[in-house]
Amino acid sequence: KKLSVRKIAYAISDAQGNSWTKKGLFKELSTTSTTDNVEVYRPTFLYVEAPLFGQSLNHYILYAGNGSSPAAPNNVTEIHQVYCQKNSSSTDCLLGPPPIQANIANNTTHYQLDGNVFAVQLSATFDSLFVENASIVYHPDQEKFYLFYDGNSSNVNCSTNMIGLAVSSEGINWNRLEKVFAKESGFNAKCVSNPTVLWDNDEKRFKMWYRAQDNADKKSIGYAESTNGVNWTNRTLVFTTGNSADFDFADVQNPSVVYLNNKYYLFYEGIKTGVTRIGYRVSSNGVNFSNKSVLLLGNLFPGKSFSVSHTNVYFSKYTANNEFAITFSSKPNGNNEAFIITSKNLDSWTSPNKILSPKQSFESNGIESLILLTDPKNSKRTLAWYTGYNGEYKAIGHAIYQ
């Protein structure tokens, strides 16, 4: 007999799995979602002693769903998650994240929870419009993730931009500690932004490099340090924009620091007449840096003139050993997407490999500032956070690469 609608029922067995008692309907068609309101089927079940994603739940059910929305027509199947309490009925189950979707660019799995994992606060005073440019640090002693980010309540200028902090045990659910770093007099009198933070486990302190701007609109890179991520000291001017002949004459922004062989490699974006190039300097103490050099990336997108932005640099991570890697945003196909390039010598670079494209509504207008971090509890997984923009608000999304 052909069924017009499929639903999911459940039954309970004895210890041997021989005798079963039907218990009734487990998953009805959705009345709120348009991605599983036509039929639900092919459930698969997992019991986990140690709850995943920080949820105090034990049963995990994946099921297929067909929907009526334009994004999920009847001939397209999407995968959904349900979490359940131990020994629970279906009334105690929680619908999980939005559908898991494959990122065709690199056969990765890309998903985010609740639209995004870190959104603006509409009632807040400093991050009511944008939260972006995340820098994620794992604190090994506390076993917690620290998220430093730009918060802004105005799209007009940077004067309302401040740096906020949130803390999480698993990188998805965040305890927001509000703004922890604001403008002061001198070289950062107008605004501060673009934090990049390292945890120095020997000195037991956070070290932050950031973009600063004074009241005369002179841009620079600054430095500060903190033992707790909240109270910052030793603000220091590291370097400013170059002279009229330099590639960084107009602006210096988006610093990214790699600590390698007892030296700090500070990469940054320099801008002149609308053209962005990546420069770097080297230091033994993180404050006094050598003369700048420019990375010769060449034309990354032949036949197209789009430049790179929102760069982050790594060494011997997410690539072969002894390679530098740069993640960056560019829009050769319309909206910003995330790419990665690698090099063994900082001179010759691979062609861009696209690793993340807009998939969800909160990132529909582009992806920026992708940052990668090896999962501290599973070295075979890479965790990613990035800025998603929907044309009105910016939020921070989360992705996992197996």
Side-chain angles (χ1 to χ4, degrees), residues 34 48 57 70 99 167 188 222 239 261 282 284 326 328 343 374 379 389:
T34 56
V48 182
L57 304 168
V167 180
N188 45 199
F239 59 84
N261 296 330
V282 182
S284 59
I326 300 176
F328 65 92
S343 172
T374 300
S379 61
Y389 182 46

Side-chain angles (χ1 to χ4, degrees), residues 74-354:
N74 293 352
N75 62 345
V76 174
T77 298
E78 295 186 335
I79 306 301
H80 297 256
Q81 293 185 46
V82 174
Y83 303 112
C84 296
Q85 300 279 3
K86 184 177 180 180
N87 297 327
S88 73
S89 67
S90 62
T91 56
D92 296 319
C93 295
L94 303 176
L95 183 65
I100 300 175
Q101 298 178 327
N103 184 341
I104 299 173
N106 205 25
N107 286 326
T108 59
T109 298
H110 164 211
Y111 73 89
Q112 44 45 253
L113 279 74
D114 300 326
N116 48 64
V117 299
F118 196 78
V120 297
Q121 295 187 112
L122 296 179
S123 61
T125 56
F126 96 99
D127 60 358
S128 59
L129 184 64
F130 290 164
V131 293
E132 59 180 331
N133 299 328
S135 179
I136 306 286
V137 180
Y138 185 72
H139 194 303
D141 298 336
Q142 298 180 8
E143 296 187 346
K144 291 183 178 180
F145 296 92
Y146 279 66
L147 185 157
F148 299 90
Y149 68 98
D150 284 350
N152 204 324
S153 59
S154 170
N155 203 17
V156 179
N157 56 56
C158 77
S159 61
T160 61
N161 206 99
M162 303 179 196
I163 295 173
L165 169 63
V167 180
S168 170
S169 59
E170 80 298 304
I172 296 176
N173 302 294
W174 295 91
N175 177 28
R176 199 184 300 246
L177 301 181
E178 302 301 327
K179 57 181 178 289
V180 297
F181 198 82
K183 59 187 179 182
E184 286 187 355
S185 60
F187 74 94
N188 45 199
K190 187 172 184 178
C191 68
V192 292
S193 61
N194 298 166
T196 183
V197 183
L198 298 180
W199 169 254
D200 190 321
N201 206 40
D202 293 328
E203 299 182 16
K204 301 297 181 184
R205 67 186 63 239
F206 294 99
K207 297 181 177 181
M208 177 169 66
W209 294 261
Y210 61 97
R211 178 183 181 270
Q213 192 168 331
D214 65 16
N215 287 327
D217 286 335
K218 183 74 170 178
K219 287 86 171 180
S220 59
I221 300 297
Y223 169 82
E225 54 190 36
S226 170
T227 57
N228 59 10
V230 177
N231 307 112
W232 292 86
T233 60
N234 298 332
R235 291 199 192 202
T236 305
L237 173 64
V238 176
F239 59 84
T240 65
T241 51
N243 59 43
S244 59
D246 290 334
F247 77 97
D248 56 0
F249 171 65
D251 203 348
V252 289
Q253 62 183 22
N254 289 322
S256 180
V257 178
V258 173
Y259 187 67
L260 176 64
N261 296 330
N262 298 317
K263 292 183 179 180
Y264 297 89
Y265 287 75
L266 191 157
F267 298 83
Y268 67 100
E269 296 171 18
I271 299 178
K272 178 183 178 183
T273 61
V275 177
T276 301
R277 302 181 73 180
I278 300 175
Y280 72 95
R281 306 181 185 218
V282 182
S283 170
S284 59
N285 61 7
V287 177
N288 305 112
F289 282 85
S290 64
N291 293 331
K292 55 198 167 194
S293 300
V294 182
L295 297 182
L296 301 176
L297 301 182
N299 187 0
L300 296 177
F301 302 102
K304 299 181 179 182
S305 60
F306 298 107
S307 62
V308 304
S309 65
H310 302 91
T311 54
N312 282 293
V313 183
Y314 315 89
F315 182 78
S316 286
K317 291 182 179 180
Y318 329 118
T319 66
N321 288 334
N322 301 317
E323 279 190 341
F324 284 91
I326 300 176
T327 58
F328 65 92
S329 297
S330 193
K331 48 184 178 180
N333 302 308
N335 292 326
N336 267 332
E337 301 169 290
F339 298 83
I340 190 168
I341 56 177
T342 62
S343 172
K344 292 184 179 297
N345 54 17
L346 295 179
D347 292 327
S348 177
W349 293 85
T350 61
S351 297
N353 178 28
K354 182 166 61 177

Side-chain angles (χ1 to χ4, degrees), residues 138 145 318 373-383 400:
Y138 185 72
F145 296 92
Y318 329 118
L373 183 70
T374 300
D375 188 336
K377 298 181 180 180
N378 183 353
S379 61
K380 294 183 178 181
R381 292 202 315 177
T382 298
L383 308 178
I400 295 177

